[in-house]
């Protein structure tokens, strides 16, 4: 233990003492008599200061032992096993996602009687997670593939939700007709946003997209005659199963009545679950396919080097706009689903924090990685629920987890890029250090 | 300058020009980077643009390839059928589609994509048309698979021609410097250009690599590389005089934004104005006498 390290640790302890003495050491409490009194907790302060001292020493010792980091473009030793695990994880996650609602019912299979294991809560949580998986995959097209930093993605989610809400309540159109319309309208707004920001890069692009998200929200709040303002739009029709409603009456026009089963409120939840699962998988399928197409390759090339793209005859304007439009379209689909699930939309659901969460999912998952984004959505949205018991400490845990991931895996969970095509047929991962992050 | 103007107005009989630059001027604010430069490049030949640092070579290049919009002047591209396209003021990607491909002084590859992917991005325009502009390909309903196989075959041929076949699936950013330079030329050639513009292709190469580069450029000129069959005119900027004198059919010399010489390598090498530009100005009297 060098004296320098001891001195450094002592300094840390001093700072900790200065901080914790007023924060922890002195606490006002209500006395039994009713008045306030100052409770002194110096033993707690001593423990915290000692912890800070020890932690600083440990950190210095660890740093001292560590060799200088060697720059390398080769993937780390953990990449290969992780990749194999990842190849296994994708089908596993999909199987769990598909089978989850079946657990909501009890099955009587002759000899076996399987009780219901998942309840309404798990299914609702599953729907929420899948919505964010879908939004993450949609934003991944814009941010992960095309490298355009979009901080206002929630605007397209809002456009989709309000499109469905307005079309369904004013014209009584069915969900299946409104769903593509909501997507098209969101894509249209994506292009509208895309045009003015074509020349912007990096921070400037982020600021304008951020402003765009806020403009849409403020518009929704203030255009009271159309959107109902802060009161939102209620009474949005629920989706139907090929025209069959999920009414509990069990009549001939209902799902339960048609199939001759006992009406159960969980039918609708299960239907909604499979609906969002299908939409999310559609998003995934389209992005995976597009990535192997010239358009997807042009997006990735744009992220790597815009000037080189121009020299190769790629129309940058069109390529950027398609990325904005297709990403926005999936946001619109998710929005329409959100509206039909909640049966109520209001501007409160489309605040900046939503954009930030979706972007965090994409960045944590590893930009451009489909499975990474899905896992990140599960961890972030599921983790939020898991730590609900921690109450106000929840945000602290969340923040600490973010910091930990950014320190340990600065390029996200899946940092490497898989080539879209090979000559040898063996796809070797490309280290994230070589892959561009986009300039805006 | 009189000679240059006569050249532009009526090209001498027997010269089949692919590119004509007429009185090109590029001004950045108060700085006159290129001052009324006129020259022409012959079809199926290698034309070199040389000059000391800051002579305006890269600026001329950027005007030809659409990265700068020239202040004045005309740039004409003639295809084999005799059609003439005016390049000045067109956006960069339209010039690339007209048949002008370029490389950059500092290589600009897509470092996170494999060598093969780099060459496929270069074939974006025909591939995109084959996909039915994206929609057909997503649904799997088009002639895209065949077009992609053809594109991969073309990429394989160019990887072979540039000696990169065994590195095809390696990320471009992980290739050694010389290989990156060759890959950039292969990528430019995958756009099926009629004029290939190279900005200092030999910079940073060792003598052996420069030798290989010269052979590659001659093969591209004669259409022997990658089984293309069709020759390609080349315009190059180069500081390596060994490469320039060995492979160029014509050399244009710029100095301080003006053209000071234009001719065969032998003529240019003997030109006192060129020697003065490279070795420093001589006395006024000396130059007049020359």
């Amino acid at each position: 233990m060098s004296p320098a390290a001891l001195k450094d640790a002592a300094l840390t302890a001093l700072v900790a003492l200065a901080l914790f003495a007023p924060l922890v050491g002195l606490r006002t409490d209500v006395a039994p008599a009713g008045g306030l009194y100052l409770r002194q907790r110096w033993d707690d302060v001593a423990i915290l200061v000692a912890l800070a001292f020890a932690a600083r020493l440990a950190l210095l010792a660890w740093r001292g032992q560590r060799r200088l980091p060697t720059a390398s473009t080769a993937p780390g030793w953990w990449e290969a096993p992780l990749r194999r695990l990842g190849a296994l994880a994708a089908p596993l996650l999909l199987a769990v996602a598909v089978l989850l609602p079946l657990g909501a019912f009890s099955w009587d299979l002759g000899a076996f009687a399987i009780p219901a294991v998942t309840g309404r809560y798990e299914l609702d949580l599953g729907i929420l997670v899948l919505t964010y998986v879908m939004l993450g995959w949609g934003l991944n097209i814009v941010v992960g593939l095309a490298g355009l930093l979009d901080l206002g993605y929630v605007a397209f989610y809002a456009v989709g939700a309000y499109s469905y809400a307005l079309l369904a309540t004013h014209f009584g159109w069915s969900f299946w007709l409104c769903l593509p319309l909501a997507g098209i309208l969101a894509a249209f707004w994506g292009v509208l946003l895309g045009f003015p920001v074509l020349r912007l890069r990096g921070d400037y692009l982020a600021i304008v997209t951020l402003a765009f998200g806020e403009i849409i929200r403020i518009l929704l709040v203030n255009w009271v005659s159309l959107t109902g303002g802060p009161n939102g739009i209620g009474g949005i029709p629920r989706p139907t199963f090929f025209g069959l409603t999920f009414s509990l009456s069990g009549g001939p026009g209902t799902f339960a009545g048609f199939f001759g089963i006992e009406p159960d409120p969980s039918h609708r939840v299960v239907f909604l679950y499979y609906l969002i699962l299908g939409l999310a998988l559609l998003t995934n399928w389209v992005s995976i396919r597009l990535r192997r197409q010239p358009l997807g390759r042009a997006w990735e090339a744009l992220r790597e080097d815009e000037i080189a793209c121009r020299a190769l005859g790629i129309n940058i304007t069109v390529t950027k706009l398609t990325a904005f439009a297709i990403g926005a379209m999936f946001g619109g689909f998710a929005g329409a689903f959100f509206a039909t699930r909640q049966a109520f939309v209001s501007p409160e659901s489309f605040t900046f924090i939503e954009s930030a969460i979706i972007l965090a999912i994409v960045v944590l998952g590893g930009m451009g990685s489909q499975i990474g984004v899905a896992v990140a959505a599960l961890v972030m949205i599921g983790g939020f629920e898991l730590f609900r018991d921690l109450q106000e400490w929840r945000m602290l845990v969340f923040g600490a987890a973010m910091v930990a991931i950014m320190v340990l895996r600065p390029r996200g969970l899946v940092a490497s890029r898989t080539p879209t095509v090979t000559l040898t047929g063996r796809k070797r991962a490309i280290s994230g250090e070589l892959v561009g992050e986009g300039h805006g | 300058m009189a000679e240059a103007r006569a050249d532009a107005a009526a090209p001498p009989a027997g010269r089949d020009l692919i590119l004509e630059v007429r009185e090109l001027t590029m001004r950045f604010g108060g700085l006159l980077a290129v001052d009324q430069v006129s020259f022409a490049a012959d079809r199926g030949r290698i034309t070199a643009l040389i000059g000391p640092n800051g002579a305006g070579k890269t600026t001329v290049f950027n005007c030809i390839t659409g990265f700068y919009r020239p202040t004045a002047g005309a740039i004409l591209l003639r295809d084999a059928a005799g059609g003439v396209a005016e390049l000045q003021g067109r956006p960069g990607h339209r010039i690339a589609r007209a048949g002008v491909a370029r490389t950059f002084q500092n290589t600009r590859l897509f470092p996170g994509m494999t060598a093969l992917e780099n060459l496929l991005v270069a074939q974006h325009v025909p591939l995109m048309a084959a996909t039915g502009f994206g929609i057909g390909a997503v649904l799997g309903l088009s002639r895209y698979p065949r077009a992609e196989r053809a594109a991969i075959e073309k990429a394989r041929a160019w990887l072979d021609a540039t000696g990169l076949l065994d590195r095809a699936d390696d990320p471009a950013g992980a290739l050694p410097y010389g290989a990156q330079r060759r890959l950039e030329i292969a990528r430019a050639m995958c756009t099926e250009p009629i004029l290939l513009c190279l900005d200092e292709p030999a910079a940073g190469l060792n003598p052996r690599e420069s030798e290989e580069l010269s052979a590659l450029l001659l093969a591209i000129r004669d259409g022997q590389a990658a089984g293309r069959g069709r020759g390609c005119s080349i315009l190059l900027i180069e500081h390596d005089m060994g490469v320039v004198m060995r492979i160029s059919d014509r050399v244009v010399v710029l100095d301080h934004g003006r053209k000071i010489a234009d001719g065969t390598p032998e003529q240019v090498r003997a030109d006192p104005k060129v020697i003065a530009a490279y070795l420093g100005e001589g006395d006024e009297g000396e130059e007049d006498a020359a």
Side-chain angles (χ1 to χ4, degrees):
Chain A
M1 204 55 58
S2 71
L6 279 175
K7 192 179 150 200
D8 196 59
L11 205 66
T12 308
L14 207 66
V15 172
L17 180 68
L19 275 173
F20 288 128
L23 286 175
V24 178
L26 302 171
R27 183 187 161 108
T28 48
D29 261 347
V30 183
L36 279 175
Y37 81 103
L38 207 58
R39 193 148 64 88
Q40 302 188 0
R41 303 187 293 184
W42 298 115
D43 40 351
D44 291 353
V45 174
I47 291 169
L48 285 170
V49 170
L51 271 178
F53 182 80
R56 183 70 191 171
L57 266 188
L59 184 69
L60 287 173
W62 181 61
R63 272 201 200 153
Q65 274 182 2
R66 210 170 45 159
R67 300 274 164 272
L68 273 177
T70 47
S72 157
T73 54
W77 59 267
W78 61 85
E79 293 271 351
L82 214 66
R83 180 155 297 281
R84 245 170 286 145
L85 201 72
L88 210 75
L92 203 72
L93 277 176
L94 183 63
V96 169
V98 170
L99 295 177
L100 185 71
L102 300 182
F105 305 100
S106 48
W107 298 86
D108 192 8
L109 303 170
F112 301 101
I114 305 168
V117 284
T118 48
R120 172 80 194 253
Y121 171 74
E122 282 81 11
L123 278 185
D124 273 335
L125 182 58
I127 291 174
L128 190 67
V129 168
L130 282 173
T131 312
Y132 279 94
V133 169
M134 177 169 180
L135 287 169
W137 278 339
L139 184 62
N140 199 16
I141 292 174
V142 184
V143 178
L145 292 184
L148 302 162
L149 183 56
D150 186 352
L151 285 180
Y153 191 64
V154 77
F156 308 122
Y157 189 40
V159 167
Y162 271 84
S163 302
Y164 173 62
L166 291 171
L167 289 172
T169 52
H170 283 266
F171 305 110
W173 291 355
S174 86
F175 176 73
W176 296 106
L177 180 63
C178 292
L179 183 71
L181 281 177
I184 289 167
L185 280 169
F188 168 74
W189 280 93
V191 173
L192 220 60
L193 164 68
F195 260 114
V197 302
L198 276 172
R199 288 162 189 280
L200 302 181
R201 294 165 144 244
D203 307 349
Y204 304 97
L205 177 74
I207 290 169
V208 174
T209 53
L210 173 73
F212 181 77
E214 286 303 287
I215 288 170
I216 293 280
R217 190 179 63 82
I218 289 167
L219 200 78
L220 294 177
V221 171
N222 289 290
W223 196 350
V224 178
S225 60
L226 182 74
T227 65
N231 298 327
I233 301 172
I236 300 167
R238 300 304 204 122
T240 54
F241 183 82
F242 298 107
L244 301 171
T245 64
F246 288 94
S247 156
L248 285 181
S249 68
T254 67
F255 179 77
F258 186 83
F259 290 100
I261 48 177
E262 202 61 27
D264 188 330
S266 64
H267 287 163
R268 174 189 285 150
V269 184
V270 170
F271 174 66
L272 283 173
Y273 180 88
Y274 278 121
L275 180 60
I276 186 66
L277 182 63
L279 284 173
L281 289 179
L282 175 77
T283 313
N284 186 30
W285 182 72
V286 170
S287 5
I288 287 176
R289 277 202 79 101
L290 275 177
R291 212 180 144 243
R292 293 197 206 121
Q293 307 289 345
L295 184 60
R297 267 189 223 121
W299 286 340
E300 290 203 82
L302 199 65
R303 178 191 68 201
E304 300 279 320
D305 195 325
E306 194 175 316
I307 289 174
C309 280
R310 257 199 292 166
L312 296 175
I314 294 173
N315 188 338
I316 287 175
T317 309
V318 170
T319 309
K320 276 189 182 175
L321 286 182
T322 49
F324 269 120
I326 292 175
M329 184 180 75
F330 289 118
F333 286 161
F337 172 80
F338 174 80
T340 191
R341 179 196 170 212
Q342 301 277 333
F344 169 75
V345 287
S346 79
E348 263 173 60
S349 310
F350 309 107
T351 49
F352 170 67
I353 190 74
E354 294 294 318
S355 289
I357 287 176
I358 303 165
L359 187 67
I361 287 172
V362 174
V363 172
L364 282 181
M367 296 200 292
S369 155
Q370 297 295 105
I371 179 80
V373 168
V375 171
L378 185 66
V379 168
M380 274 196 67
I381 307 301
F384 249 24
E385 290 299 315
L386 206 65
F387 292 120
R388 198 169 273 284
D389 293 341
L390 294 174
Q391 293 164 11
E392 70 264 38
W393 296 93
R394 196 156 66 129
M395 289 316 273
L396 192 71
V397 172
F398 175 62
M402 288 280 252
V403 170
I405 287 190
M406 286 298 108
V407 169
L408 297 174
R409 296 194 65 76
R411 303 280 313 233
L413 293 173
V414 183
S416 52
R417 177 182 173 275
T418 318
T420 57
V421 62
T422 59
L423 270 191
T424 51
R426 220 162 53 82
K427 287 194 177 174
R428 277 170 300 168
I430 296 171
S431 160
E433 281 146 53
L434 291 171
V435 181
E437 285 158 325
H439 310 281
Chain B
M1 287 312 293
E3 183 196 305
R5 247 181 229 120
D7 193 38
R15 269 188 87 179
D16 180 14
L17 300 181
I18 183 152
L19 181 81
E20 264 186 84
V21 175
R22 290 184 182 169
E23 306 198 346
L24 184 73
T25 302
M26 184 73 211
R27 195 186 279 281
F28 298 105
L31 178 78
L32 192 58
V34 176
D35 185 10
Q36 295 200 320
V37 168
S38 301
F39 67 92
D42 297 286
R43 188 181 310 281
R45 297 269 180 271
I46 296 179
T47 309
L49 201 57
I50 65 168
N53 285 329
K57 304 180 298 288
T58 299
T59 307
V60 169
F61 242 53
N62 283 340
C63 289
I64 293 172
T65 51
F67 283 79
Y68 292 157
R69 189 180 283 265
T71 314
I75 301 162
L76 305 177
L77 183 74
R78 291 175 205 274
D79 60 28
V84 181
E86 289 198 8
L87 299 186
Q88 74 276 11
R90 278 202 201 187
H93 71 272
R94 298 264 317 275
I95 291 179
R97 287 181 192 195
V100 180
R102 73 168 293 179
T103 66
F104 294 87
Q105 200 167 342
N106 315 308
T107 46
R108 279 186 173 272
L109 291 165
F110 306 121
M113 303 175 88
T114 64
L116 178 64
E117 283 179 307
N118 268 274
L119 300 193
L120 288 184
V121 171
Q123 302 177 55
H124 176 79
V125 178
L127 280 178
M128 196 68 188
T131 62
F133 297 92
I135 300 152
V138 169
L139 302 174
L141 295 175
S142 63
R143 34 207 171 93
Y144 178 67
R146 201 181 338 141
E148 195 187 61
R149 272 198 299 277
I152 291 176
E153 277 317 305
K154 192 203 271 183
R156 185 202 293 274
W158 276 107
L159 286 168
D160 200 17
T162 48
L164 292 168
L165 201 50
D166 53 335
R167 307 297 302 265
D169 294 336
D170 285 350
L175 296 178
Y177 184 75
Q180 293 196 10
R181 287 255 163 212
R182 292 202 301 280
L183 181 60
E184 209 189 11
I185 293 173
R187 190 180 65 179
M189 286 310 295
C190 275
T191 66
E192 287 293 323
I194 55 174
L195 176 68
L196 175 66
C197 299
L198 304 168
D199 197 347
E200 296 195 25
L205 299 188
N206 64 36
R208 200 174 62 91
E209 285 174 322
S210 304
E211 193 68 44
E212 286 168 4
L213 177 81
S214 303
L216 174 66
L217 294 185
L218 288 174
I220 288 175
R221 180 191 71 181
D222 301 333
Q224 288 154 356
R228 190 164 180 256
R230 214 146 25 91
C232 180
S233 318
I234 296 177
L235 180 67
L236 86 155
I237 294 179
E238 191 46 71
H239 275 304
D240 184 334
M241 282 308 136
V243 172
V244 170
M245 294 304 163
R246 194 159 52 225
I247 66 172
S248 305
D249 300 298
R250 193 178 184 89
V251 178
V252 177
V253 190
L254 295 186
D255 188 27
H256 292 109
R258 288 165 178 273
K259 187 170 89 170
I260 57 171
D262 187 348
T264 63
E266 291 73 30
Q267 287 169 340
V268 165
R269 190 154 32 185
D271 193 322
K273 274 191 281 184
V274 177
I275 296 166
Y278 269 92
L279 301 178
E281 300 286 336
D283 291 335
E284 282 298 309
E286 240 179 67
E287 207 169 282
D288 285 344

